[in-house]
Amino acid sequence: MTDNDSEDPLFKPVLSRGDAFRSEITRGETHQGGHSPGPSASGIVELDAIDRQIVAELQLDGRMTNVELARRTGISAPPCLRRVRRLEEVGVIEGYHADVDASKLGWSLTFFALIGLESQKGSVLEAFEADVAAWVEVRECHMIRGGGDFLVRLVARDPAHQNYLTKRLTDLDHVVRVQTLQTIRTSLTRAGVPV
């Protein structure tokens, strides 16, 4: 890579692309296969084999350059960048993040809380979701069916912090039951989904 290459957007990591490029891509532009990815009647976005390969590669390494992504998918860099942009625009690619070792940042405990609420009225469910969304320790919140109303994944610095968070959960309005499950070991965690 030459010094001039560093200024070329095709040589920058995929995750650092700017919004200026977004305006260069028209929604009506089609793939070489003759279609644009977009939601079907079922809401599932239809992708061709190259789109699927792009998604698979970015799930493995979201920091690779567009040139490397194009090489791995067997197309040239400009159409590869257009495809990535379209995948972002239709919401297949929602964002990019770094996987971090939580314990090295002081978050030594991960635990799940199974939450039961006194009512399943929409306003009660939404209030609970809004409350826990404001906590930095809450990393996931899932409304569930069977055995409770929500499953929440939290991180804590130590057992005292976990106890404090559990008490905060039990003190929330409309919460009638909190069951916590502490992880002992995580043997597998996968980002993304099968493509």
Side-chain angles (χ1 to χ4, degrees), residues 16-53:
S16 66
R17 296 176 309 270
D19 288 331
F21 293 103
R22 209 172 286 287
S23 63
E24 294 176 16
I25 296 165
T26 60
R27 291 187 182 265
E29 191 173 326
T30 60
H31 284 303
Q32 291 171 348
H35 76 282
S36 286
S40 67
S42 66
I44 296 174
V45 177
E46 295 181 22
L47 305 177
D48 66 14
I50 294 173
D51 289 330
R52 288 183 180 281
Q53 191 174 359

mmCIF file of all heavy atoms in Angstrom, residues 16-53:
data_model
loop_
_atom_site.group_PDB
_atom_site.id
_atom_site.type_symbol
_atom_site.label_atom_id
_atom_site.label_comp_id
_atom_site.label_asym_id
_atom_site.label_seq_id
_atom_site.Cartn_x
_atom_site.Cartn_y
_atom_site.Cartn_z
ATOM 1 N N SER A 16 -14.719 2.173 8.919
ATOM 2 C CA SER A 16 -14.465 3.596 9.054
ATOM 3 C C SER A 16 -14.988 4.416 7.883
ATOM 4 O O SER A 16 -14.650 5.571 7.742
ATOM 5 C CB SER A 16 -12.961 3.837 9.216
ATOM 6 O OG SER A 16 -12.284 3.483 8.023
ATOM 7 N N ARG A 17 -15.837 3.832 7.049
ATOM 8 C CA ARG A 17 -16.362 4.572 5.919
ATOM 9 C C ARG A 17 -17.225 5.722 6.404
ATOM 10 O O ARG A 17 -17.944 5.612 7.359
ATOM 11 C CB ARG A 17 -17.188 3.650 5.032
ATOM 12 C CG ARG A 17 -16.368 2.552 4.414
ATOM 13 C CD ARG A 17 -17.240 1.628 3.639
ATOM 14 N NE ARG A 17 -18.370 1.177 4.419
ATOM 15 C CZ ARG A 17 -18.373 0.108 5.182
ATOM 16 N NH1 ARG A 17 -17.313 -0.636 5.260
ATOM 17 N NH2 ARG A 17 -19.427 -0.247 5.855
ATOM 18 N N GLY A 18 -17.179 6.838 5.667
ATOM 19 C CA GLY A 18 -17.949 8.008 6.064
ATOM 20 C C GLY A 18 -19.261 8.112 5.332
ATOM 21 O O GLY A 18 -19.518 7.419 4.364
ATOM 22 N N ASP A 19 -20.097 9.032 5.807
ATOM 23 C CA ASP A 19 -21.411 9.211 5.205
ATOM 24 C C ASP A 19 -21.330 9.817 3.805
ATOM 25 O O ASP A 19 -22.281 9.736 3.052
ATOM 26 C CB ASP A 19 -22.279 10.109 6.093
ATOM 27 C CG ASP A 19 -22.708 9.383 7.351
ATOM 28 O OD1 ASP A 19 -22.824 8.143 7.296
ATOM 29 O OD2 ASP A 19 -22.930 10.052 8.369
ATOM 30 N N ALA A 20 -20.199 10.423 3.456
ATOM 31 C CA ALA A 20 -20.074 11.015 2.123
ATOM 32 C C ALA A 20 -20.266 9.967 1.037
ATOM 33 O O ALA A 20 -20.835 10.241 -0.015
ATOM 34 C CB ALA A 20 -18.711 11.675 1.966
ATOM 35 N N PHE A 21 -19.815 8.759 1.288
ATOM 36 C CA PHE A 21 -19.950 7.701 0.290
ATOM 37 C C PHE A 21 -21.390 7.242 0.150
ATOM 38 O O PHE A 21 -21.802 6.786 -0.883
ATOM 39 C CB PHE A 21 -19.059 6.509 0.652
ATOM 40 C CG PHE A 21 -17.619 6.850 0.544
ATOM 41 C CD1 PHE A 21 -16.881 7.090 1.680
ATOM 42 C CD2 PHE A 21 -17.019 6.974 -0.688
ATOM 43 C CE1 PHE A 21 -15.555 7.434 1.580
ATOM 44 C CE2 PHE A 21 -15.690 7.313 -0.784
ATOM 45 C CZ PHE A 21 -14.956 7.544 0.356
ATOM 46 N N ARG A 22 -22.154 7.364 1.229
ATOM 47 C CA ARG A 22 -23.534 6.916 1.205
ATOM 48 C C ARG A 22 -24.323 7.657 0.118
ATOM 49 O O ARG A 22 -25.181 7.094 -0.530
ATOM 50 C CB ARG A 22 -24.171 7.142 2.579
ATOM 51 C CG ARG A 22 -25.244 6.186 2.896
ATOM 52 C CD ARG A 22 -25.702 6.340 4.317
ATOM 53 N NE ARG A 22 -24.788 5.818 5.314
ATOM 54 C CZ ARG A 22 -24.595 4.529 5.542
ATOM 55 N NH1 ARG A 22 -25.237 3.624 4.863
ATOM 56 N NH2 ARG A 22 -23.764 4.142 6.468
ATOM 57 N N SER A 23 -24.007 8.944 -0.087
ATOM 58 C CA SER A 23 -24.747 9.724 -1.071
ATOM 59 C C SER A 23 -24.417 9.311 -2.502
ATOM 60 O O SER A 23 -25.166 9.601 -3.416
ATOM 61 C CB SER A 23 -24.452 11.215 -0.886
ATOM 62 O OG SER A 23 -23.080 11.450 -1.121
ATOM 63 N N GLU A 24 -23.294 8.608 -2.699
ATOM 64 C CA GLU A 24 -22.921 8.177 -4.042
ATOM 65 C C GLU A 24 -23.702 6.954 -4.496
ATOM 66 O O GLU A 24 -23.692 6.603 -5.658
ATOM 67 C CB GLU A 24 -21.429 7.833 -4.085
ATOM 68 C CG GLU A 24 -20.534 9.028 -3.876
ATOM 69 C CD GLU A 24 -19.087 8.627 -3.839
ATOM 70 O OE1 GLU A 24 -18.756 7.507 -4.262
ATOM 71 O OE2 GLU A 24 -18.280 9.441 -3.398
ATOM 72 N N ILE A 25 -24.383 6.289 -3.578
ATOM 73 C CA ILE A 25 -25.062 5.056 -3.917
ATOM 74 C C ILE A 25 -26.548 5.308 -4.018
ATOM 75 O O ILE A 25 -27.156 5.828 -3.107
ATOM 76 C CB ILE A 25 -24.761 3.991 -2.859
ATOM 77 C CG1 ILE A 25 -23.272 3.719 -2.940
ATOM 78 C CG2 ILE A 25 -25.583 2.746 -3.079
ATOM 79 C CD1 ILE A 25 -22.702 3.014 -1.829
ATOM 80 N N THR A 26 -27.093 4.985 -5.137
ATOM 81 C CA THR A 26 -28.525 5.181 -5.317
ATOM 82 C C THR A 26 -29.251 3.920 -4.932
ATOM 83 O O THR A 26 -28.767 2.819 -5.157
ATOM 84 C CB THR A 26 -28.846 5.535 -6.780
ATOM 85 O OG1 THR A 26 -28.411 4.455 -7.598
ATOM 86 C CG2 THR A 26 -28.149 6.803 -7.211
ATOM 87 N N ARG A 27 -30.409 4.073 -4.353
ATOM 88 C CA ARG A 27 -31.163 2.906 -3.906
ATOM 89 C C ARG A 27 -31.621 2.038 -5.064
ATOM 90 O O ARG A 27 -31.840 0.857 -4.889
ATOM 91 C CB ARG A 27 -32.354 3.353 -3.073
ATOM 92 C CG ARG A 27 -31.926 3.929 -1.755
ATOM 93 C CD ARG A 27 -33.119 4.204 -0.884
ATOM 94 N NE ARG A 27 -32.687 4.802 0.351
ATOM 95 C CZ ARG A 27 -32.460 4.128 1.459
ATOM 96 N NH1 ARG A 27 -32.625 2.831 1.487
ATOM 97 N NH2 ARG A 27 -32.069 4.725 2.548
ATOM 98 N N GLY A 28 -31.748 2.576 -6.251
ATOM 99 C CA GLY A 28 -32.223 1.791 -7.383
ATOM 100 C C GLY A 28 -31.139 0.996 -8.091
ATOM 101 O O GLY A 28 -31.420 0.206 -8.976
ATOM 102 N N GLU A 29 -29.888 1.196 -7.716
ATOM 103 C CA GLU A 29 -28.780 0.506 -8.378
ATOM 104 C C GLU A 29 -28.866 -0.987 -8.106
ATOM 105 O O GLU A 29 -29.158 -1.413 -7.003
ATOM 106 C CB GLU A 29 -27.475 1.074 -7.815
ATOM 107 C CG GLU A 29 -26.261 0.660 -8.567
ATOM 108 C CD GLU A 29 -25.057 1.400 -8.036
ATOM 109 O OE1 GLU A 29 -25.190 2.556 -7.628
ATOM 110 O OE2 GLU A 29 -23.980 0.800 -8.049
ATOM 111 N N THR A 30 -28.601 -1.790 -9.120
ATOM 112 C CA THR A 30 -28.742 -3.232 -8.955
ATOM 113 C C THR A 30 -27.394 -3.905 -8.877
ATOM 114 O O THR A 30 -26.380 -3.362 -9.300
ATOM 115 C CB THR A 30 -29.529 -3.850 -10.127
ATOM 116 O OG1 THR A 30 -28.821 -3.580 -11.333
ATOM 117 C CG2 THR A 30 -30.933 -3.298 -10.195
ATOM 118 N N HIS A 31 -27.391 -5.117 -8.328
ATOM 119 C CA HIS A 31 -26.203 -5.960 -8.292
ATOM 120 C C HIS A 31 -25.909 -6.481 -9.681
ATOM 121 O O HIS A 31 -26.743 -6.450 -10.571
ATOM 122 C CB HIS A 31 -26.461 -7.190 -7.406
ATOM 123 C CG HIS A 31 -26.424 -6.896 -5.956
ATOM 124 N ND1 HIS A 31 -25.350 -6.338 -5.341
ATOM 125 C CD2 HIS A 31 -27.358 -7.089 -4.992
ATOM 126 C CE1 HIS A 31 -25.594 -6.227 -4.056
ATOM 127 N NE2 HIS A 31 -26.819 -6.659 -3.822
ATOM 128 N N GLN A 32 -24.733 -7.061 -9.811
ATOM 129 C CA GLN A 32 -24.404 -7.731 -11.063
ATOM 130 C C GLN A 32 -25.392 -8.856 -11.325
ATOM 131 O O GLN A 32 -25.651 -9.205 -12.444
ATOM 132 C CB GLN A 32 -22.978 -8.275 -11.001
ATOM 133 C CG GLN A 32 -21.956 -7.162 -10.986
ATOM 134 C CD GLN A 32 -20.567 -7.678 -10.699
ATOM 135 O OE1 GLN A 32 -20.355 -8.807 -10.290
ATOM 136 N NE2 GLN A 32 -19.593 -6.809 -10.918
ATOM 137 N N GLY A 33 -25.965 -9.420 -10.271
ATOM 138 C CA GLY A 33 -26.953 -10.482 -10.398
ATOM 139 C C GLY A 33 -28.320 -9.957 -10.800
ATOM 140 O O GLY A 33 -29.236 -10.726 -11.023
ATOM 141 N N GLY A 34 -28.503 -8.629 -10.864
ATOM 142 C CA GLY A 34 -29.741 -8.064 -11.357
ATOM 143 C C GLY A 34 -30.750 -7.678 -10.294
ATOM 144 O O GLY A 34 -31.859 -7.319 -10.599
ATOM 145 N N HIS A 35 -30.386 -7.709 -9.012
ATOM 146 C CA HIS A 35 -31.337 -7.292 -7.992
ATOM 147 C C HIS A 35 -30.630 -6.509 -6.909
ATOM 148 O O HIS A 35 -29.430 -6.590 -6.738
ATOM 149 C CB HIS A 35 -32.030 -8.513 -7.379
ATOM 150 C CG HIS A 35 -31.165 -9.266 -6.422
ATOM 151 N ND1 HIS A 35 -30.180 -10.123 -6.841
ATOM 152 C CD2 HIS A 35 -31.127 -9.263 -5.075
ATOM 153 C CE1 HIS A 35 -29.567 -10.621 -5.780
ATOM 154 N NE2 HIS A 35 -30.116 -10.120 -4.696
ATOM 155 N N SER A 36 -31.391 -5.695 -6.202
ATOM 156 C CA SER A 36 -30.875 -5.012 -5.020
ATOM 157 C C SER A 36 -31.355 -5.755 -3.799
ATOM 158 O O SER A 36 -32.489 -6.217 -3.779
ATOM 159 C CB SER A 36 -31.423 -3.578 -4.946
ATOM 160 O OG SER A 36 -30.810 -2.766 -5.894
ATOM 161 N N PRO A 37 -30.500 -5.880 -2.760
ATOM 162 C CA PRO A 37 -31.018 -6.523 -1.565
ATOM 163 C C PRO A 37 -32.096 -5.644 -0.970
ATOM 164 O O PRO A 37 -31.939 -4.442 -0.875
ATOM 165 C CB PRO A 37 -29.801 -6.621 -0.645
ATOM 166 C CG PRO A 37 -28.844 -5.602 -1.124
ATOM 167 C CD PRO A 37 -29.117 -5.430 -2.585
ATOM 168 N N GLY A 38 -33.177 -6.239 -0.604
ATOM 169 C CA GLY A 38 -34.269 -5.515 0.021
ATOM 170 C C GLY A 38 -35.206 -6.501 0.663
ATOM 171 O O GLY A 38 -35.163 -7.689 0.376
ATOM 172 N N PRO A 39 -36.060 -6.000 1.572
ATOM 173 C CA PRO A 39 -36.935 -6.919 2.280
ATOM 174 C C PRO A 39 -37.969 -7.541 1.369
ATOM 175 O O PRO A 39 -38.507 -6.900 0.488
ATOM 176 C CB PRO A 39 -37.592 -6.044 3.344
ATOM 177 C CG PRO A 39 -37.185 -4.644 3.086
ATOM 178 C CD PRO A 39 -36.166 -4.636 2.012
ATOM 179 N N SER A 40 -38.237 -8.819 1.586
ATOM 180 C CA SER A 40 -39.300 -9.508 0.864
ATOM 181 C C SER A 40 -40.600 -9.259 1.620
ATOM 182 O O SER A 40 -40.630 -8.555 2.620
ATOM 183 C CB SER A 40 -38.997 -11.007 0.804
ATOM 184 O OG SER A 40 -39.062 -11.565 2.102
ATOM 185 N N ALA A 41 -41.680 -9.863 1.140
ATOM 186 C CA ALA A 41 -42.964 -9.704 1.810
ATOM 187 C C ALA A 41 -42.894 -10.187 3.252
ATOM 188 O O ALA A 41 -43.594 -9.679 4.117
ATOM 189 C CB ALA A 41 -44.045 -10.466 1.035
ATOM 190 N N SER A 42 -42.027 -11.171 3.547
ATOM 191 C CA SER A 42 -41.910 -11.694 4.901
ATOM 192 C C SER A 42 -41.003 -10.842 5.783
ATOM 193 O O SER A 42 -40.860 -11.114 6.963
ATOM 194 C CB SER A 42 -41.364 -13.122 4.860
ATOM 195 O OG SER A 42 -40.032 -13.112 4.378
ATOM 196 N N GLY A 43 -40.371 -9.817 5.211
ATOM 197 C CA GLY A 43 -39.450 -8.974 5.971
ATOM 198 C C GLY A 43 -38.022 -9.460 5.923
ATOM 199 O O GLY A 43 -37.117 -8.786 6.394
ATOM 200 N N ILE A 44 -37.791 -10.642 5.367
ATOM 201 C CA ILE A 44 -36.434 -11.171 5.241
ATOM 202 C C ILE A 44 -35.801 -10.555 4.008
ATOM 203 O O ILE A 44 -36.405 -10.508 2.944
ATOM 204 C CB ILE A 44 -36.454 -12.708 5.137
ATOM 205 C CG1 ILE A 44 -37.008 -13.309 6.430
ATOM 206 C CG2 ILE A 44 -35.061 -13.251 4.836
ATOM 207 C CD1 ILE A 44 -37.214 -14.797 6.378
ATOM 208 N N VAL A 45 -34.586 -10.070 4.150
ATOM 209 C CA VAL A 45 -33.879 -9.454 3.040
ATOM 210 C C VAL A 45 -33.300 -10.553 2.153
ATOM 211 O O VAL A 45 -32.623 -11.460 2.633
ATOM 212 C CB VAL A 45 -32.767 -8.521 3.549
ATOM 213 C CG1 VAL A 45 -31.977 -7.939 2.395
ATOM 214 C CG2 VAL A 45 -33.362 -7.407 4.405
ATOM 215 N N GLU A 46 -33.607 -10.492 0.868
ATOM 216 C CA GLU A 46 -33.100 -11.483 -0.076
ATOM 217 C C GLU A 46 -31.702 -11.077 -0.527
ATOM 218 O O GLU A 46 -31.486 -9.961 -0.976
ATOM 219 C CB GLU A 46 -34.044 -11.587 -1.272
ATOM 220 C CG GLU A 46 -35.412 -12.118 -0.889
ATOM 221 C CD GLU A 46 -36.345 -12.247 -2.082
ATOM 222 O OE1 GLU A 46 -35.859 -12.331 -3.219
ATOM 223 O OE2 GLU A 46 -37.555 -12.260 -1.827
ATOM 224 N N LEU A 47 -30.758 -12.014 -0.388
ATOM 225 C CA LEU A 47 -29.364 -11.762 -0.732
ATOM 226 C C LEU A 47 -28.890 -12.786 -1.732
ATOM 227 O O LEU A 47 -29.311 -13.937 -1.694
ATOM 228 C CB LEU A 47 -28.479 -11.864 0.522
ATOM 229 C CG LEU A 47 -28.849 -11.002 1.716
ATOM 230 C CD1 LEU A 47 -27.901 -11.287 2.871
ATOM 231 C CD2 LEU A 47 -28.814 -9.532 1.359
ATOM 232 N N ASP A 48 -27.990 -12.362 -2.623
ATOM 233 C CA ASP A 48 -27.381 -13.340 -3.516
ATOM 234 C C ASP A 48 -26.150 -13.930 -2.824
ATOM 235 O O ASP A 48 -25.818 -13.580 -1.689
ATOM 236 C CB ASP A 48 -27.055 -12.727 -4.883
ATOM 237 C CG ASP A 48 -25.982 -11.642 -4.852
ATOM 238 O OD1 ASP A 48 -25.274 -11.513 -3.826
ATOM 239 O OD2 ASP A 48 -25.848 -10.922 -5.851
ATOM 240 N N ALA A 49 -25.463 -14.842 -3.510
ATOM 241 C CA ALA A 49 -24.334 -15.553 -2.900
ATOM 242 C C ALA A 49 -23.208 -14.608 -2.514
ATOM 243 O O ALA A 49 -22.561 -14.795 -1.466
ATOM 244 C CB ALA A 49 -23.819 -16.622 -3.867
ATOM 245 N N ILE A 50 -22.971 -13.575 -3.299
ATOM 246 C CA ILE A 50 -21.883 -12.637 -2.978
ATOM 247 C C ILE A 50 -22.242 -11.817 -1.747
ATOM 248 O O ILE A 50 -21.419 -11.600 -0.858
ATOM 249 C CB ILE A 50 -21.550 -11.743 -4.188
ATOM 250 C CG1 ILE A 50 -20.966 -12.600 -5.313
ATOM 251 C CG2 ILE A 50 -20.572 -10.631 -3.794
ATOM 252 C CD1 ILE A 50 -20.752 -11.869 -6.630
ATOM 253 N N ASP A 51 -23.503 -11.343 -1.677
ATOM 254 C CA ASP A 51 -23.941 -10.607 -0.477
ATOM 255 C C ASP A 51 -23.756 -11.463 0.764
ATOM 256 O O ASP A 51 -23.277 -11.002 1.796
ATOM 257 C CB ASP A 51 -25.416 -10.215 -0.585
ATOM 258 C CG ASP A 51 -25.674 -9.132 -1.607
ATOM 259 O OD1 ASP A 51 -24.788 -8.310 -1.827
ATOM 260 O OD2 ASP A 51 -26.788 -9.116 -2.165
ATOM 261 N N ARG A 52 -24.140 -12.737 0.672
ATOM 262 C CA ARG A 52 -24.019 -13.641 1.821
ATOM 263 C C ARG A 52 -22.555 -13.822 2.216
ATOM 264 O O ARG A 52 -22.217 -13.858 3.395
ATOM 265 C CB ARG A 52 -24.659 -14.992 1.514
ATOM 266 C CG ARG A 52 -26.156 -14.931 1.482
ATOM 267 C CD ARG A 52 -26.797 -16.304 1.257
ATOM 268 N NE ARG A 52 -28.223 -16.168 1.239
ATOM 269 C CZ ARG A 52 -28.993 -16.045 2.311
ATOM 270 N NH1 ARG A 52 -28.442 -16.053 3.502
ATOM 271 N NH2 ARG A 52 -30.304 -15.914 2.213
ATOM 272 N N GLN A 53 -21.685 -13.921 1.218
ATOM 273 C CA GLN A 53 -20.265 -14.080 1.517
ATOM 274 C C GLN A 53 -19.719 -12.815 2.168
ATOM 275 O O GLN A 53 -18.915 -12.883 3.101
ATOM 276 C CB GLN A 53 -19.488 -14.425 0.246
ATOM 277 C CG GLN A 53 -18.065 -14.849 0.551
ATOM 278 C CD GLN A 53 -17.330 -15.333 -0.690
ATOM 279 O OE1 GLN A 53 -17.879 -15.380 -1.786
ATOM 280 N NE2 GLN A 53 -16.077 -15.698 -0.502
#
